[in-house]
mmCIF file of all heavy atoms in Angstrom:
data_model
loop_
_atom_site.group_PDB
_atom_site.id
_atom_site.type_symbol
_atom_site.label_atom_id
_atom_site.label_comp_id
_atom_site.label_asym_id
_atom_site.label_seq_id
_atom_site.Cartn_x
_atom_site.Cartn_y
_atom_site.Cartn_z
ATOM 1 N N ASP A 1 170.332 90.545 40.518
ATOM 2 C CA ASP A 1 169.271 89.775 39.784
ATOM 3 C C ASP A 1 168.775 88.612 40.596
ATOM 4 O O ASP A 1 167.542 88.380 40.657
ATOM 5 C CB ASP A 1 169.792 89.221 38.481
ATOM 6 C CG ASP A 1 170.006 90.512 37.457
ATOM 7 O OD1 ASP A 1 169.270 91.533 37.634
ATOM 8 O OD2 ASP A 1 170.848 90.456 36.680
ATOM 9 N N GLU A 2 169.750 87.821 41.109
ATOM 10 C CA GLU A 2 169.312 86.538 41.885
ATOM 11 C C GLU A 2 169.192 86.688 43.266
ATOM 12 O O GLU A 2 168.273 86.176 43.814
ATOM 13 C CB GLU A 2 170.347 85.440 41.555
ATOM 14 C CG GLU A 2 170.281 85.077 39.940
ATOM 15 C CD GLU A 2 171.533 84.091 39.712
ATOM 16 O OE1 GLU A 2 171.978 83.472 40.667
ATOM 17 O OE2 GLU A 2 171.618 83.716 38.444
ATOM 18 N N ALA A 3 170.086 87.313 43.892
ATOM 19 C CA ALA A 3 170.223 87.429 45.447
ATOM 20 C C ALA A 3 169.344 88.460 45.971
ATOM 21 O O ALA A 3 169.020 88.540 47.153
ATOM 22 C CB ALA A 3 171.573 87.543 45.989
ATOM 23 N N GLY A 4 168.746 89.379 45.186
ATOM 24 C CA GLY A 4 167.919 90.481 45.681
ATOM 25 C C GLY A 4 168.653 91.626 46.068
ATOM 26 O O GLY A 4 169.793 91.959 45.697
ATOM 27 N N GLU A 5 168.036 92.410 46.999
ATOM 28 C CA GLU A 5 168.695 93.667 47.525
ATOM 29 C C GLU A 5 169.513 93.413 48.858
ATOM 30 O O GLU A 5 169.145 92.746 49.729
ATOM 31 C CB GLU A 5 167.584 94.685 47.937
ATOM 32 C CG GLU A 5 166.845 95.282 46.620
ATOM 33 C CD GLU A 5 165.992 96.404 46.904
ATOM 34 O OE1 GLU A 5 165.351 96.522 48.092
ATOM 35 O OE2 GLU A 5 166.044 97.436 46.110
ATOM 36 N N PHE A 6 170.634 94.193 48.868
ATOM 37 C CA PHE A 6 171.476 94.314 49.966
ATOM 38 C C PHE A 6 171.661 95.712 50.420
ATOM 39 O O PHE A 6 171.921 96.565 49.490
ATOM 40 C CB PHE A 6 172.882 93.525 49.684
ATOM 41 C CG PHE A 6 172.750 92.121 49.631
ATOM 42 C CD1 PHE A 6 172.253 91.526 48.352
ATOM 43 C CD2 PHE A 6 173.247 91.210 50.569
ATOM 44 C CE1 PHE A 6 172.285 90.137 48.213
ATOM 45 C CE2 PHE A 6 173.264 89.906 50.385
ATOM 46 C CZ PHE A 6 172.770 89.440 49.178
ATOM 47 N N LEU A 7 171.673 96.032 51.628
ATOM 48 C CA LEU A 7 172.119 97.382 52.163
ATOM 49 C C LEU A 7 173.493 97.228 52.799
ATOM 50 O O LEU A 7 173.527 96.534 53.800
ATOM 51 C CB LEU A 7 171.113 97.999 53.158
ATOM 52 C CG LEU A 7 171.482 99.381 53.495
ATOM 53 C CD1 LEU A 7 171.212 100.380 52.293
ATOM 54 C CD2 LEU A 7 170.834 99.786 54.772
ATOM 55 N N LEU A 8 174.526 97.769 52.240
ATOM 56 C CA LEU A 8 175.769 97.924 52.717
ATOM 57 C C LEU A 8 175.688 99.039 53.786
ATOM 58 O O LEU A 8 175.825 100.158 53.477
ATOM 59 C CB LEU A 8 176.856 98.032 51.689
ATOM 60 C CG LEU A 8 176.794 97.134 50.500
ATOM 61 C CD1 LEU A 8 177.925 97.548 49.411
ATOM 62 C CD2 LEU A 8 176.797 95.726 50.889
ATOM 63 N N ALA A 9 175.609 98.584 55.061
ATOM 64 C CA ALA A 9 175.294 99.542 56.085
ATOM 65 C C ALA A 9 176.453 100.240 56.660
ATOM 66 O O ALA A 9 176.483 101.300 57.231
ATOM 67 C CB ALA A 9 174.580 98.978 57.249
ATOM 68 N N SER A 10 177.669 99.612 56.472
ATOM 69 C CA SER A 10 178.926 100.156 57.203
ATOM 70 C C SER A 10 178.612 100.445 58.525
ATOM 71 O O SER A 10 177.918 99.729 59.167
ATOM 72 C CB SER A 10 179.429 101.340 56.281
ATOM 73 O OG SER A 10 180.627 101.780 56.725
ATOM 74 N N ASP A 11 179.198 101.581 59.067
ATOM 75 C CA ASP A 11 179.059 101.858 60.421
ATOM 76 C C ASP A 11 177.705 102.607 60.834
ATOM 77 O O ASP A 11 177.388 103.022 61.901
ATOM 78 C CB ASP A 11 180.265 102.684 60.983
ATOM 79 C CG ASP A 11 181.470 101.792 61.125
ATOM 80 O OD1 ASP A 11 181.267 100.583 61.030
ATOM 81 O OD2 ASP A 11 182.458 102.409 61.555
ATOM 82 N N ALA A 12 176.795 102.742 59.784
ATOM 83 C CA ALA A 12 175.450 103.179 60.166
ATOM 84 C C ALA A 12 174.770 102.152 61.097
ATOM 85 O O ALA A 12 173.958 102.430 61.988
ATOM 86 C CB ALA A 12 174.696 103.380 58.918
ATOM 87 N N VAL A 13 175.062 100.803 60.820
ATOM 88 C CA VAL A 13 174.672 99.793 61.775
ATOM 89 C C VAL A 13 175.869 98.837 61.726
ATOM 90 O O VAL A 13 176.109 97.997 60.967
ATOM 91 C CB VAL A 13 173.445 99.082 61.363
ATOM 92 C CG1 VAL A 13 173.076 98.059 62.325
ATOM 93 C CG2 VAL A 13 172.335 99.915 60.924
ATOM 94 N N ALA A 14 176.730 99.107 62.844
ATOM 95 C CA ALA A 14 177.977 98.301 62.910
ATOM 96 C C ALA A 14 177.689 96.841 63.331
ATOM 97 O O ALA A 14 178.506 96.010 62.699
ATOM 98 C CB ALA A 14 178.916 98.904 63.955
ATOM 99 N N VAL A 15 176.908 96.424 64.161
ATOM 100 C CA VAL A 15 176.724 95.010 64.491
ATOM 101 C C VAL A 15 175.167 94.786 64.552
ATOM 102 O O VAL A 15 174.309 95.770 64.823
ATOM 103 C CB VAL A 15 177.291 94.791 65.951
ATOM 104 C CG1 VAL A 15 178.874 94.843 65.794
ATOM 105 C CG2 VAL A 15 176.793 95.521 66.987
ATOM 106 N N GLU A 16 174.795 93.570 64.362
ATOM 107 C CA GLU A 16 173.394 93.185 64.366
ATOM 108 C C GLU A 16 172.567 93.617 65.570
ATOM 109 O O GLU A 16 171.391 94.039 65.452
ATOM 110 C CB GLU A 16 173.149 91.700 64.073
ATOM 111 C CG GLU A 16 171.696 91.398 63.830
ATOM 112 C CD GLU A 16 171.573 89.864 63.406
ATOM 113 O OE1 GLU A 16 172.495 89.149 63.479
ATOM 114 O OE2 GLU A 16 170.386 89.599 63.069
ATOM 115 N N ALA A 17 173.239 93.530 66.656
ATOM 116 C CA ALA A 17 172.505 94.018 68.006
ATOM 117 C C ALA A 17 172.069 95.453 67.875
ATOM 118 O O ALA A 17 170.997 95.706 68.538
ATOM 119 C CB ALA A 17 173.481 93.860 69.227
ATOM 120 N N ASN A 18 172.783 96.322 67.162
ATOM 121 C CA ASN A 18 172.308 97.674 67.027
ATOM 122 C C ASN A 18 170.846 97.590 66.361
ATOM 123 O O ASN A 18 170.021 98.347 66.872
ATOM 124 C CB ASN A 18 173.205 98.479 66.282
ATOM 125 C CG ASN A 18 174.603 98.588 66.793
ATOM 126 O OD1 ASN A 18 175.556 98.895 66.032
ATOM 127 N ND2 ASN A 18 174.771 98.460 68.036
ATOM 128 N N LEU A 19 170.786 96.872 65.312
ATOM 129 C CA LEU A 19 169.587 96.759 64.605
ATOM 130 C C LEU A 19 168.328 96.101 65.409
ATOM 131 O O LEU A 19 167.172 96.634 65.388
ATOM 132 C CB LEU A 19 169.740 96.127 63.332
ATOM 133 C CG LEU A 19 168.561 96.213 62.236
ATOM 134 C CD1 LEU A 19 168.475 97.573 61.792
ATOM 135 C CD2 LEU A 19 168.775 95.289 61.171
ATOM 136 N N ARG A 20 168.682 95.062 66.067
ATOM 137 C CA ARG A 20 167.655 94.356 66.762
ATOM 138 C C ARG A 20 167.114 94.995 67.957
ATOM 139 O O ARG A 20 165.894 95.077 68.227
ATOM 140 C CB ARG A 20 168.188 92.985 67.076
ATOM 141 C CG ARG A 20 168.643 92.020 66.024
ATOM 142 C CD ARG A 20 167.481 91.596 64.924
ATOM 143 N NE ARG A 20 167.984 91.256 63.771
ATOM 144 C CZ ARG A 20 167.735 91.865 62.601
ATOM 145 N NH1 ARG A 20 166.900 92.705 62.483
ATOM 146 N NH2 ARG A 20 168.326 91.234 61.476
ATOM 147 N N GLU A 21 168.046 95.767 68.633
ATOM 148 C CA GLU A 21 167.790 96.375 69.906
ATOM 149 C C GLU A 21 167.495 97.805 69.780
ATOM 150 O O GLU A 21 167.080 98.551 70.693
ATOM 151 C CB GLU A 21 168.840 96.094 70.909
ATOM 152 C CG GLU A 21 168.890 94.598 71.252
ATOM 153 C CD GLU A 21 169.986 94.158 72.169
ATOM 154 O OE1 GLU A 21 170.452 95.095 72.944
ATOM 155 O OE2 GLU A 21 170.532 93.141 72.207
ATOM 156 N N GLY A 22 167.750 98.345 68.589
ATOM 157 C CA GLY A 22 167.499 99.848 68.306
ATOM 158 C C GLY A 22 168.357 100.889 69.017
ATOM 159 O O GLY A 22 167.894 101.905 69.451
ATOM 160 N N TYR A 23 169.633 100.648 69.044
ATOM 161 C CA TYR A 23 170.521 101.590 69.727
ATOM 162 C C TYR A 23 171.704 101.826 68.917
ATOM 163 O O TYR A 23 172.070 100.969 68.082
ATOM 164 C CB TYR A 23 170.871 101.184 71.218
ATOM 165 C CG TYR A 23 171.838 100.014 71.141
ATOM 166 C CD1 TYR A 23 173.166 100.107 71.093
ATOM 167 C CD2 TYR A 23 171.284 98.625 71.250
ATOM 168 C CE1 TYR A 23 174.107 98.969 71.157
ATOM 169 C CE2 TYR A 23 172.155 97.439 71.225
ATOM 170 C CZ TYR A 23 173.515 97.733 71.222
ATOM 171 O OH TYR A 23 174.413 96.594 71.096
ATOM 172 N N ALA A 24 172.505 102.966 69.298
ATOM 173 C CA ALA A 24 173.684 103.370 68.499
ATOM 174 C C ALA A 24 174.842 103.041 69.256
ATOM 175 O O ALA A 24 174.876 103.189 70.583
ATOM 176 C CB ALA A 24 173.591 104.706 68.002
ATOM 177 N N PRO A 25 176.040 102.748 68.724
ATOM 178 C CA PRO A 25 177.197 102.471 69.449
ATOM 179 C C PRO A 25 177.686 103.833 70.178
ATOM 180 O O PRO A 25 177.349 104.934 69.687
ATOM 181 C CB PRO A 25 178.206 101.874 68.458
ATOM 182 C CG PRO A 25 177.313 101.397 67.370
ATOM 183 C CD PRO A 25 176.225 102.365 67.259
ATOM 184 N N LYS A 26 178.567 103.686 71.089
ATOM 185 C CA LYS A 26 179.103 104.800 71.870
ATOM 186 C C LYS A 26 179.958 105.726 70.840
ATOM 187 O O LYS A 26 180.210 106.787 71.298
ATOM 188 C CB LYS A 26 179.902 104.326 72.998
ATOM 189 C CG LYS A 26 179.122 103.743 74.150
ATOM 190 C CD LYS A 26 179.922 103.306 75.341
ATOM 191 C CE LYS A 26 179.137 102.728 76.373
ATOM 192 N NZ LYS A 26 179.932 102.321 77.564
ATOM 193 N N ASN A 27 180.568 105.080 69.832
ATOM 194 C CA ASN A 27 181.549 105.834 69.056
ATOM 195 C C ASN A 27 180.823 106.667 68.013
ATOM 196 O O ASN A 27 181.287 106.604 66.857
ATOM 197 C CB ASN A 27 182.564 104.913 68.505
ATOM 198 C CG ASN A 27 182.078 103.967 67.683
ATOM 199 O OD1 ASN A 27 180.805 103.688 67.484
ATOM 200 N ND2 ASN A 27 183.023 103.090 66.942
ATOM 201 N N SER A 28 179.603 107.104 68.210
ATOM 202 C CA SER A 28 178.765 107.825 67.262
ATOM 203 C C SER A 28 179.082 109.305 67.380
ATOM 204 O O SER A 28 179.145 109.765 68.529
ATOM 205 C CB SER A 28 177.317 107.597 67.376
ATOM 206 O OG SER A 28 177.066 106.237 67.271
ATOM 207 N N TRP A 29 179.146 110.015 66.315
ATOM 208 C CA TRP A 29 179.342 111.531 66.349
ATOM 209 C C TRP A 29 178.181 112.181 66.856
ATOM 210 O O TRP A 29 178.219 113.100 67.641
ATOM 211 C CB TRP A 29 179.555 111.918 64.832
ATOM 212 C CG TRP A 29 179.274 113.371 64.546
ATOM 213 C CD1 TRP A 29 180.051 114.499 65.066
ATOM 214 C CD2 TRP A 29 178.225 113.917 63.861
ATOM 215 N NE1 TRP A 29 179.452 115.584 64.610
ATOM 216 C CE2 TRP A 29 178.354 115.290 63.827
ATOM 217 C CE3 TRP A 29 177.091 113.328 63.177
ATOM 218 C CZ2 TRP A 29 177.467 116.229 63.162
ATOM 219 C CZ3 TRP A 29 176.157 114.152 62.505
ATOM 220 C CH2 TRP A 29 176.354 115.603 62.603
ATOM 221 N N ASP A 30 176.864 111.698 66.620
ATOM 222 C CA ASP A 30 175.663 112.218 67.048
ATOM 223 C C ASP A 30 174.733 110.976 67.452
ATOM 224 O O ASP A 30 174.196 110.378 66.560
ATOM 225 C CB ASP A 30 175.024 113.156 66.033
ATOM 226 C CG ASP A 30 173.703 113.885 66.657
ATOM 227 O OD1 ASP A 30 172.865 113.129 67.176
ATOM 228 O OD2 ASP A 30 173.556 115.045 66.486
ATOM 229 N N LEU A 31 174.563 110.674 68.791
ATOM 230 C CA LEU A 31 173.899 109.603 69.128
ATOM 231 C C LEU A 31 172.472 109.673 68.736
ATOM 232 O O LEU A 31 171.886 108.414 68.387
ATOM 233 C CB LEU A 31 174.037 109.306 70.684
ATOM 234 C CG LEU A 31 175.322 108.716 71.254
ATOM 235 C CD1 LEU A 31 175.372 108.908 72.801
ATOM 236 C CD2 LEU A 31 175.423 107.288 70.825
ATOM 237 N N GLU A 32 171.814 110.731 68.761
ATOM 238 C CA GLU A 32 170.357 110.652 68.327
ATOM 239 C C GLU A 32 170.180 110.410 66.934
ATOM 240 O O GLU A 32 169.317 109.796 66.432
ATOM 241 C CB GLU A 32 169.825 112.054 68.736
ATOM 242 C CG GLU A 32 168.319 112.217 68.341
ATOM 243 C CD GLU A 32 167.680 113.554 68.865
ATOM 244 O OE1 GLU A 32 168.413 114.405 69.482
ATOM 245 O OE2 GLU A 32 166.537 113.888 68.427
ATOM 246 N N LYS A 33 171.019 111.128 66.131
ATOM 247 C CA LYS A 33 170.988 110.856 64.679
ATOM 248 C C LYS A 33 171.324 109.448 64.296
ATOM 249 O O LYS A 33 170.773 108.786 63.434
ATOM 250 C CB LYS A 33 171.779 111.890 63.784
ATOM 251 C CG LYS A 33 171.423 113.190 63.820
ATOM 252 C CD LYS A 33 172.228 114.203 63.185
ATOM 253 C CE LYS A 33 171.618 115.646 63.060
ATOM 254 N NZ LYS A 33 172.504 116.633 62.367
ATOM 255 N N ALA A 34 172.300 108.909 65.060
ATOM 256 C CA ALA A 34 172.828 107.555 64.735
ATOM 257 C C ALA A 34 171.732 106.595 65.092
ATOM 258 O O ALA A 34 171.399 105.497 64.399
ATOM 259 C CB ALA A 34 174.026 107.137 65.566
ATOM 260 N N ALA A 35 170.925 106.765 66.235
ATOM 261 C CA ALA A 35 169.714 105.889 66.484
ATOM 262 C C ALA A 35 168.727 106.053 65.550
ATOM 263 O O ALA A 35 167.959 104.947 65.263
ATOM 264 C CB ALA A 35 169.342 106.298 68.038
ATOM 265 N N ASN A 36 168.385 107.121 65.069
ATOM 266 C CA ASN A 36 167.521 107.286 63.966
ATOM 267 C C ASN A 36 167.852 106.691 62.641
ATOM 268 O O ASN A 36 167.028 106.049 62.031
ATOM 269 C CB ASN A 36 167.333 108.853 63.657
ATOM 270 C CG ASN A 36 166.545 109.552 64.684
ATOM 271 O OD1 ASN A 36 165.795 108.980 65.474
ATOM 272 N ND2 ASN A 36 166.601 110.887 64.776
ATOM 273 N N ALA A 37 169.096 106.640 62.497
ATOM 274 C CA ALA A 37 169.556 105.964 61.280
ATOM 275 C C ALA A 37 169.371 104.404 61.422
ATOM 276 O O ALA A 37 168.901 103.751 60.430
ATOM 277 C CB ALA A 37 171.099 106.211 60.973
ATOM 278 N N VAL A 38 169.616 103.824 62.553
ATOM 279 C CA VAL A 38 169.289 102.504 62.925
ATOM 280 C C VAL A 38 167.848 102.096 62.537
ATOM 281 O O VAL A 38 167.486 101.287 61.911
ATOM 282 C CB VAL A 38 169.672 102.133 64.351
ATOM 283 C CG1 VAL A 38 169.126 100.725 64.713
ATOM 284 C CG2 VAL A 38 171.167 102.150 64.376
ATOM 285 N N LEU A 39 166.982 103.010 62.928
ATOM 286 C CA LEU A 39 165.547 102.801 62.543
ATOM 287 C C LEU A 39 165.177 102.862 61.258
ATOM 288 O O LEU A 39 164.344 102.043 60.708
ATOM 289 C CB LEU A 39 164.679 103.845 63.495
ATOM 290 C CG LEU A 39 164.743 103.817 64.897
ATOM 291 C CD1 LEU A 39 163.927 104.948 65.617
ATOM 292 C CD2 LEU A 39 164.356 102.427 65.599
ATOM 293 N N GLU A 40 165.827 103.826 60.413
ATOM 294 C CA GLU A 40 165.582 103.848 59.013
ATOM 295 C C GLU A 40 166.141 102.640 58.385
ATOM 296 O O GLU A 40 165.541 102.115 57.324
ATOM 297 C CB GLU A 40 166.292 105.114 58.426
ATOM 298 C CG GLU A 40 165.608 106.428 58.912
ATOM 299 C CD GLU A 40 164.057 106.437 58.570
ATOM 300 O OE1 GLU A 40 163.811 106.148 57.407
ATOM 301 O OE2 GLU A 40 163.213 106.770 59.436
ATOM 302 N N VAL A 41 167.236 102.114 58.779
ATOM 303 C CA VAL A 41 167.785 100.932 58.110
ATOM 304 C C VAL A 41 166.794 99.701 58.408
ATOM 305 O O VAL A 41 166.645 98.794 57.690
ATOM 306 C CB VAL A 41 169.293 100.624 58.746
ATOM 307 C CG1 VAL A 41 169.716 99.225 58.297
ATOM 308 C CG2 VAL A 41 170.126 101.687 58.250
ATOM 309 N N ARG A 42 166.265 99.618 59.594
ATOM 310 C CA ARG A 42 165.344 98.562 59.922
ATOM 311 C C ARG A 42 164.236 98.667 58.951
ATOM 312 O O ARG A 42 163.627 97.639 58.544
ATOM 313 C CB ARG A 42 164.815 98.788 61.413
ATOM 314 C CG ARG A 42 163.972 97.660 61.839
ATOM 315 C CD ARG A 42 163.290 97.973 63.357
ATOM 316 N NE ARG A 42 164.468 97.863 64.252
ATOM 317 C CZ ARG A 42 164.307 98.217 65.520
ATOM 318 N NH1 ARG A 42 163.207 98.803 65.920
ATOM 319 N NH2 ARG A 42 165.310 98.135 66.350
ATOM 320 N N LYS A 43 163.654 99.828 58.636
ATOM 321 C CA LYS A 43 162.625 99.964 57.495
ATOM 322 C C LYS A 43 162.996 99.314 56.152
ATOM 323 O O LYS A 43 162.229 98.674 55.552
ATOM 324 C CB LYS A 43 162.281 101.372 57.398
ATOM 325 C CG LYS A 43 161.458 102.019 58.627
ATOM 326 C CD LYS A 43 161.225 103.466 58.255
ATOM 327 C CE LYS A 43 160.561 104.218 59.598
ATOM 328 N NZ LYS A 43 160.440 105.645 59.312
ATOM 329 N N ILE A 44 164.217 99.576 55.858
ATOM 330 C CA ILE A 44 164.737 98.965 54.542
ATOM 331 C C ILE A 44 164.764 97.479 54.757
ATOM 332 O O ILE A 44 164.319 96.759 53.718
ATOM 333 C CB ILE A 44 166.145 99.597 54.235
ATOM 334 C CG1 ILE A 44 166.026 101.023 53.974
ATOM 335 C CG2 ILE A 44 166.722 98.818 53.124
ATOM 336 C CD1 ILE A 44 167.316 101.718 53.737
ATOM 337 N N GLU A 45 165.087 96.860 55.778
ATOM 338 C CA GLU A 45 165.205 95.453 56.103
ATOM 339 C C GLU A 45 163.782 94.958 55.938
ATOM 340 O O GLU A 45 163.570 93.928 55.512
ATOM 341 C CB GLU A 45 165.781 95.144 57.352
ATOM 342 C CG GLU A 45 165.880 93.655 57.677
ATOM 343 C CD GLU A 45 166.398 93.287 59.059
ATOM 344 O OE1 GLU A 45 165.755 93.904 59.961
ATOM 345 O OE2 GLU A 45 167.141 92.397 59.205
ATOM 346 N N GLU A 46 162.838 95.637 56.465
ATOM 347 C CA GLU A 46 161.400 95.186 56.517
ATOM 348 C C GLU A 46 160.902 95.104 55.148
ATOM 349 O O GLU A 46 159.930 94.422 54.877
ATOM 350 C CB GLU A 46 160.442 96.138 57.375
ATOM 351 C CG GLU A 46 160.811 95.918 58.849
ATOM 352 C CD GLU A 46 160.231 97.009 59.676
ATOM 353 O OE1 GLU A 46 159.596 97.993 59.162
ATOM 354 O OE2 GLU A 46 160.232 96.817 60.976
ATOM 355 N N ARG A 47 161.424 95.813 54.114
ATOM 356 C CA ARG A 47 161.015 95.827 52.674
ATOM 357 C C ARG A 47 161.745 94.677 51.972
ATOM 358 O O ARG A 47 161.479 94.545 50.849
ATOM 359 C CB ARG A 47 161.317 97.107 52.011
ATOM 360 C CG ARG A 47 160.592 98.322 52.630
ATOM 361 C CD ARG A 47 160.603 99.553 51.652
ATOM 362 N NE ARG A 47 161.918 100.016 51.220
ATOM 363 C CZ ARG A 47 162.419 101.081 51.947
ATOM 364 N NH1 ARG A 47 161.959 101.681 52.942
ATOM 365 N NH2 ARG A 47 163.772 101.455 51.397
#
């Protein structure tokens, strides 16, 4: 109600640098899908 929306990203975006620079960590099961997930999370942040 007061603080607004939060996305609990867990390891979809492990550290902020992943989101700002648009890459996935090396310990990803599927690097391409993980990078796409980072981009989708960025859209949620933009909202």
Side-chain angles (χ1 to χ4, degrees):
D1 289 332
E2 296 179 8
E5 285 192 324
F6 290 75
L7 183 76
L8 309 179
S10 183
D11 283 359
V13 186
V15 296
E16 186 172 7
N18 298 159
L19 191 67
R20 301 295 164 237
E21 299 175 28
Y23 67 89
K26 290 181 180 179
N27 60 350
S28 300
W29 160 71
D30 186 311
L31 279 169
E32 182 177 355
K33 290 181 178 179
N36 287 337
V38 170
L39 296 179
E40 292 301 314
V41 169
R42 185 182 292 170
K43 293 177 184 178
I44 294 174
E45 182 185 47
E46 290 170 352
R47 298 201 299 265

